[in-house]
Amino acid sequence: MRQALEAAELDALLILGAENRFYLSGFTGSAAVLYVDAEAAVLLTDGRYASQAVEECPHWQLEVSSRVFPEGVAELVRKRGIKRLGAESQVLTWSQWEALRQVLPEVQLLPCRDLVEKLRLYKEPHEIQIIKQALALTEMGWQVLLSELRAGITEREWALKLEFYLRERGADGVAFPFIVASGSRSALPHGIASNKQVEPGDLVVIDVGIKLGHYCSDFTRTVVVEKVAPWQQRLYQAVLEAQQAAIAMVKPGVPAREVDRAARRVIAAHGYAPEIFPHSTGHGVGLAVHEAPHLSEKEEMLLQPGMVVTVEPGAYLPGQGGVRIEDMLLVTEAGAERLNLSPREELLLVGRRKP
Ligand code: ZN
Ligand code: ZN
C-alpha cells in the first residue's frame, strides 16, 4: 500500500470502503476509517468497535473517538503534517468530500481510484482456498436442490430453499439476490427469483453466489424442465462453445478484452445477433462479487497469475428464453485452473416425473 502511495505522490490515504478496509486491516465492523502514510497505519473508529478493532486489527494503531469523520480524521492529518491527502473517489459521498474540505482547507484533497483494488487483483493462497470452499458449498447446494426444481414450484420458493440449505451449512449470506429466471423470464439476464411458477418446457437460468469468510462465489447453470425444444438446444450449444472459447483465452499476458471477444465471435458464428449477448463475458471475484478485472470489450488490463475471474457468456431471446453458463477460473503461471467442478457439457433436463 505504501509503495502505491509513493507512486501516486500522496502523503497519506484514507480508506472507507468496507472491502478495502477489511482487506488491509481485517476490520469487519461497519464504521471505521483507515489512515495510511509513510510511517503510520491508524484505524479510527468509535466506542462501539473499540474492543473489536483491538482483536481484529493487531497491526493497526487504534484511535477511538466519538467524532471520527471528519473531525477525528482532520486532527490526525494535521498532527501528521500531511499536505497531499488521497481518498477513495468511488466510495466517499459528495457530502463527505465537502466535510473534509471544510475541516482541512490547507490540505490538498486528491481523488484516488483503485489503489487498494489493484492490490486485491492478485489473490493469495489463503484467499484462493476460501473462494474454492465458497464455490464447493455453492455447487453442493445446487446439486442437492436440483431434484426439487420441477414444474409447479415458484422461482422464489426454490431460491429460498437453496439459500436456507447454504446458510445452514455455513454460508455467511448471499453474495447477491439469487437469480432464478424461468421460461420467458430466463431472457432477463438479471431475472431475480420471482413468484412465477416453473413450467414444463421452461429454460431456467440459475445464478447463485454466497459469502463465506468474506469472500464470494458466483456460479450459473441453465437447465430445462421436463422437455427440451430444438431452439433451446441450439442456444445452449452456442453459449457452451462461447464459454469454451473464452476459457481457452484465459492465461497470463492476454488482454481481458480478448476473452470477451472470443466469446462474442462464437455467438455470432452461430448466427445470433450481437444484441442477444448484452453483458460482458466475466468479471473478477474476491471480497466483492464484481471487481476488477472486467472481461469486457473495453478492458485492456492483461490477465496475470493470481487473478480470479468468472467466464459467463449468455444469450437471451426476448419473449422466449435465455441461457448463461458461468464458471470461476484462477489465472495461473501455466494458464488457468477452473475453481468449480460441476459439468456443463449437456443442457440438463430436470423435473421429469418418475415412470
Ligand atoms: Zn453469476
Ligand atoms: Zn458473475
Side-chain angles (χ1 to χ4, degrees), residues 202-267:
D202 277 359
L203 285 171
V204 190
V205 173
I206 300 159
D207 187 347
V208 293
I210 58 168
K211 286 206 163 198
L212 185 74
H214 303 280
Y215 285 83
C216 298
S217 63
D218 191 6
F219 167 75
T220 306
R221 287 291 179 269
T222 302
V223 299
V224 67
V225 184
E226 293 186 28
K227 55 184 186 193
V228 58
W231 70 268
Q232 294 170 327
Q233 280 292 11
R234 275 203 307 276
L235 197 62
Y236 191 86
Q237 193 58 32
V239 174
L240 177 63
E241 286 175 25
Q243 200 213 19
Q244 284 165 348
I247 286 175
M249 292 299 292
V250 177
K251 49 192 166 226
V254 172
R257 61 162 188 254
E258 293 301 328
V259 181
D260 184 74
R261 283 184 188 164
R264 273 173 222 287
R265 267 196 299 272
V266 174
I267 300 280

Side-chain angles (χ1 to χ4, degrees), residues 137-138 141 162-171 178 210:
L137 177 56
T138 309
L162 179 59
E163 182 176 341
F164 191 85
Y165 180 96
L166 294 168
R167 296 207 58 170
E168 214 173 24
R169 280 157 188 79
F178 288 173
I210 58 168

Side-chain angles (χ1 to χ4, degrees), residues 176 179 207-208 218-220 283 290 310 312 324 326:
F176 51 88
I179 290 169
D207 187 347
V208 293
D218 191 6
F219 167 75
T220 306
H283 54 86
H290 293 115
T310 70
E312 53 175 307
R324 181 163 68 256
E326 175 177 34

Side-chain angles (χ1 to χ4, degrees), residues 30-51:
S30 61
V33 178
L34 301 186
Y35 166 96
V36 182
D37 68 24
E39 282 95 32
V42 183
L43 185 144
L44 302 103
T45 189
D46 60 70
R48 293 172 300 167
Y49 292 111
S51 44

Side-chain angles (χ1 to χ4, degrees), residues 150-153 182-183 196-204 225-226:
R150 55 168 78 96
I153 196 168
S182 63
K196 179 191 172 299
Q197 275 191 359
V198 173
E199 289 167 45
D202 277 359
L203 285 171
V204 190
V225 184
E226 293 186 28

